[in-house]
Amino acid sequence: MRGREGVFRMSGRTEKSVILFFIDGLGIGPRSEDNPLFLNGDLEPLAYFDDDVSMRRLSDGGFMVRTDPRLFVEGRPQSASGQTTILTGKNAPQILGFHKQGFPNAALREVINEHSLFLQLKKIGHERVLFANAYTPQFFQETPRWKSATTVAVEAAGLRFRRLSDLLGRKALFHDFTNRALIERGFDVPPFSESEAAEILASLAAENSFVLYEHFLTDKIGHDRDFETAARHLPALARFVRETLRRLDPEKTTFILTSDHGNIEDLSVRNHTLNDVPTIVWGRRSGEIAGQIKDLTDITPAVLRLLTE
């Protein structure tokens, strides 16, 4: 039968869906010894380098488009304002007059509370929307609690936060997708291979209209200038993306990968870069949607078009 949004549902599955895979701190960088994406040959589809091509067709059928995170505001792009822009479609740095690092301030929280992508989807009838990341118990116990742009967006829409019980039930993923960080902190959870994590993410896309997954170890590696960890982590992240794509139905699902700013592509400095970021689109209407993305304000409208048109 069809729900209010016109999406066909059968046995809990949706006819069309979107995965937004957010990678913090992934830019399009130089071909140099300071770029760990250049030094490893097994990083498709994460590694793109400075050239004059604004959009390219990939060998796996996806489309990569250079995306501006600077948003016509001077200074280095930052996480709070960039993520707010991705999750609302509003130019957060222009609203503030500067790029805001870390966590959203009151002005950005107001933007998210009004324009959260989750909230916009619910208002047009999409009830099956999900933030796939699992939170630890400590998150709910800490006061005051530092809230990321994503956390504010989830709260604005009244969505349920995923917990470790959801992860154990294979209905959520931790931000490192392998659970290694949780295990090192003493949590009793199983390790996930890239294939197992991909199976979980793909199954969530089959059950929901919209799924957001957030990964931010790339930004930490960039700030730490940690080549050793980058060489170990980036291939695993690339395999996770590839394995997820293998499990999706490209006729029903659109997979969008994007970032808020550059960082890990230039480990010569600890700061964020001024580089463009890659937005990569696979699956349903991929070429059309990629061609409509120029900067971070275009991500939310792209998701809305995919689920309403």
Side-chain angles (χ1 to χ4, degrees):
M1 63 172 8
R2 289 187 178 269
R4 288 180 297 164
E5 74 278 28
V7 177
F8 182 81
R9 294 204 179 106
M10 181 68 72
S11 301
R13 302 179 75 85
T14 59
E15 182 182 51
K16 56 187 178 183
S17 63
V18 176
I19 295 178
L20 179 57
F21 192 114
F22 167 72
I23 299 179
D24 198 334
L26 177 68
I28 299 175
R31 301 173 187 267
S32 77
E33 62 182 10
D34 295 314
N35 186 351
L37 294 158
F38 175 64
L39 299 177
N40 191 308
D42 188 32
L43 295 182
E44 290 186 3
L46 304 181
Y48 298 96
F49 309 105
D50 287 334
D51 56 31
D52 295 328
V53 178
S54 60
M55 178 173 167
R56 70 172 75 234
R57 178 82 181 259
L58 307 181
S59 59
D60 60 8
F63 292 83
M64 190 285 292
V65 58
R66 297 179 71 99
T67 308
D68 177 13
R70 299 172 298 280
L71 298 168
F72 314 104
V73 175
E74 291 187 5
R76 296 180 184 275
Q78 300 293 336
S79 295
S81 48
Q83 292 168 27
T84 297
T85 301
I86 291 171
L87 293 173
T88 65
K90 303 300 178 182
N91 190 327
Q94 276 197 339
I95 291 170
L96 293 178
F98 59 92
H99 296 279
K100 173 70 174 66
Q101 64 185 20
F103 299 93
N105 58 12
L108 292 185
R109 291 196 297 270
E110 183 177 345
V111 173
I112 298 170
N113 284 331
E114 185 174 352
H115 301 288
S116 161
L117 174 55
F118 294 119
L119 183 61
Q120 291 188 62
L121 287 169
K122 288 190 71 174
K123 284 182 176 179
I124 60 175
H126 284 274
E127 297 297 328
R128 292 176 179 263
V129 295
L130 169 72
F131 180 42
N133 289 59
Y135 287 70
T136 64
Q138 285 76 11
F139 172 81
F140 303 98
Q141 298 165 1
E142 293 173 354
T143 53
R145 183 193 306 163
W146 291 102
K147 296 181 181 180
S148 68
T150 307
T151 298
V152 178
V154 170
E155 289 183 336
L159 300 184
R160 183 177 72 84
F161 287 102
R162 299 278 139 164
R163 299 171 182 257
L164 294 188
S165 57
D166 296 293
L167 184 148
L168 292 172
R170 302 177 72 87
K171 294 296 183 180
L173 293 169
F174 200 55
H175 69 80
D176 74 345
F177 64 85
T178 64
N179 296 339
R180 184 176 295 112
L182 287 170
I183 294 169
E184 290 174 353
R185 291 166 58 184
F187 288 100
D188 185 16
V189 297
F192 287 160
S193 67
E194 294 91 351
S195 296
E196 288 174 311
E199 186 68 38
I200 292 168
L201 187 57
S203 69
L204 293 175
E207 297 167 358
N208 295 277
S209 298
F210 175 71
V211 176
L212 170 66
Y213 177 71
E214 180 177 81
H215 178 77
F216 55 80
L217 289 181
T218 37
D219 193 48
K220 182 180 186 301
I221 292 168
H223 285 304
D224 291 343
R225 300 178 64 193
D226 189 342
F227 277 94
E228 182 178 346
T229 301
R232 185 172 61 250
H233 180 71
L234 288 171
L237 178 58
R239 286 193 295 273
F240 175 33
V241 174
R242 293 196 301 265
E243 289 294 320
T244 302
L245 290 170
R246 286 183 56 243
R247 290 163 168 78
L248 299 178
D249 182 346
E251 299 298 319
K252 295 182 178 180
T253 302
T254 308
F255 186 114
I256 302 174
L257 184 154
T258 195
S259 185
D260 51 353
H261 54 73
N263 190 350
I264 198 170
E265 79 281 5
D266 185 358
L267 297 188
S268 68
V269 295
R270 295 187 184 278
N271 297 328
H272 296 169
T273 69
L274 294 171
N275 294 329
D276 287 340
V277 300
T279 296
I280 314 167
V281 188
W282 294 271
R284 193 175 70 88
R285 297 173 62 185
S286 56
E288 171 196 346
I289 293 298
Q292 296 169 350
I293 294 174
K294 306 300 180 187
D295 62 49
L296 296 184
T297 63
D298 297 319
I299 304 300
T300 279
V303 173
L304 293 172
R305 281 194 298 272
L306 283 164
L307 292 177
T308 58
E309 297 176 356

